[in-house]
Amino acid sequence: MNTPLLGKTLAELQDIVLGLNMPKFTAKQIAAWIYQKHVNSIDDMTNLSKANREKLGASFCVGFTKPIETVRSTDGTIKYLFPTGNGKFVETVYIPDGERATLCVSCQVGCKMNCLFCQTGKQGWEGDLCAADILNQIYSIECPESLTNIVYMGQGEPLDNYDNVMKSLEILTADYGWAWSPKRITVSTVGLRKNLDRYLNECDCHLAISLHTPIHEQRLRLMPAERQFPIAEIVELLRQYDWSHQRRITFEYTMLGDTNDSTLHAKELCKLLQGLECRVNLIRWHKIPDVDLKEVEASRMTAFRDYLNNHGINTTIRASRGQDIWAACGLLSTQKQTEEKNA
């Protein structure tokens, strides 16, 4: 089976062409064909000589793989099911909203974090996605040119698959790649300390922190990662950076009925984030099997948002999209497809 060129950086493409005794500059031509013109075949790379196309095609392929399933929500959201290089599956969600179109991509099959309220965590972790698998979700949807934003908020913890995520971000933002502005991309994390520090120093894309409660003991019950990466320490790390002229930081807060939606939680959240240039996204939780939590009342979400805004924390309620096709936040899982394949 030929090796995909998709997911290769310019430096890696240069190594490939030099190894095939091709001119070094052909690497940039190949990158342009893949990442800017989105060709599906090496034969379509017409500014490469026929001899060089044949040499390249003997061992390599472009590597785009179409989704094997597409499901559409009544609200216009589209969920794609993609096969991965390790024989598993991941889900990707396209969210149109007026002039905006956001793609929510996955970076792992399942997830190690096992947050109580998240369906993906119930799947367990079944492997990291390589850069090609991550990028394929973007380039192989129906209309990639319509995208205005990309969020790494699908299946998996991005900073637990740091090297592959960063490689995909390089290709998306580099001049030789898709040349997107980093300000159009957001990476979400529960706050893996070491790699979070690296991300802040090595990447200019926006950052979203999965917070969900400001109270240590409760966050520990909801999110096992709190034991190793306490939210208070993560916020303190973030205070060391100047956010006023650089990337944006958002805190994601999934609201759970009678759990983290009280005035006390709002007050503690204000204390935790006081003085930090940030915003908070409140997310409606949707019921998942075998989890004893409650959905929040709309009035409680509104009151929580208003309290935070009135106390200087820029807060919005994120619209819930794709719930009818299990595409909303926290609902993604491909455990069923993996089990059926292995049956």
Side-chain angles (χ1 to χ4, degrees), residues 23-215:
K24 186 177 180 180
F25 67 82
T26 56
K28 198 162 188 178
Q29 294 174 320
I30 293 168
W33 282 114
I34 297 171
Y35 300 126
Q36 296 168 16
K37 300 175 184 177
H38 307 178
V39 299
N40 289 308
S41 171
I42 290 172
D43 289 335
D44 294 331
M45 301 179 183
T46 53
N47 59 353
L48 275 63
S49 70
K50 182 178 180 181
N52 282 339
R53 293 200 302 269
E54 289 176 350
K55 280 195 289 187
L56 195 60
S59 300
F60 297 90
C61 62
V62 172
F64 292 128
T65 304
K66 293 293 184 183
I68 62 172
E69 183 177 278
T70 300
V71 184
R72 299 175 187 271
S73 167
T74 55
D75 64 21
T77 300
I78 304 173
K79 184 169 71 170
Y80 298 96
L81 180 67
F82 282 101
T84 67
N86 61 0
K88 304 291 185 178
F89 305 90
V90 289
E91 293 182 327
T92 309
V93 181
Y94 175 83
I95 309 166
D97 185 14
E99 296 182 353
R100 291 170 59 91
T102 300
L103 192 71
C104 180
V105 302
S106 296
C107 63
Q108 293 180 315
V109 181
C111 186
K112 297 176 185 176
M113 300 302 108
N114 197 27
C115 298
L116 178 62
F117 46 84
C118 180
Q119 181 69 18
T120 306
K122 306 300 174 282
Q123 179 176 344
W125 178 79
E126 297 182 39
D128 291 333
L129 298 191
C130 64
D133 285 332
I134 296 171
L135 293 171
N136 185 61
Q137 298 170 70
I138 300 166
Y139 283 102
S140 293
I141 64 169
E142 294 170 27
C143 300
E145 66 279 357
S146 71
L147 294 176
T148 60
N149 300 86
I150 295 171
V151 295
Y152 284 61
M153 295 183 184
Q155 292 177 257
E157 162 57 54
L159 298 193
D160 188 47
N161 186 17
Y162 187 84
D163 291 340
N164 287 311
V165 165
M166 291 299 290
K167 189 176 178 182
S168 70
L169 292 174
E170 176 189 332
I171 292 168
L172 286 172
T173 59
D175 289 341
Y176 71 81
W178 209 0
W180 260 38
S181 166
K183 304 303 184 288
R184 298 171 66 181
I185 304 171
T186 301
V187 174
S188 174
T189 177
V190 300
L192 277 63
R193 176 62 187 264
K194 178 181 177 181
N195 286 341
L196 176 58
D197 199 27
R198 290 181 62 192
Y199 177 84
L200 292 171
N201 286 293
E202 297 172 5
C203 185
D204 292 327
C205 294
H206 293 314
L207 175 69
I209 299 290
S210 296
L211 196 158
H212 309 303
T213 177
I215 299 172

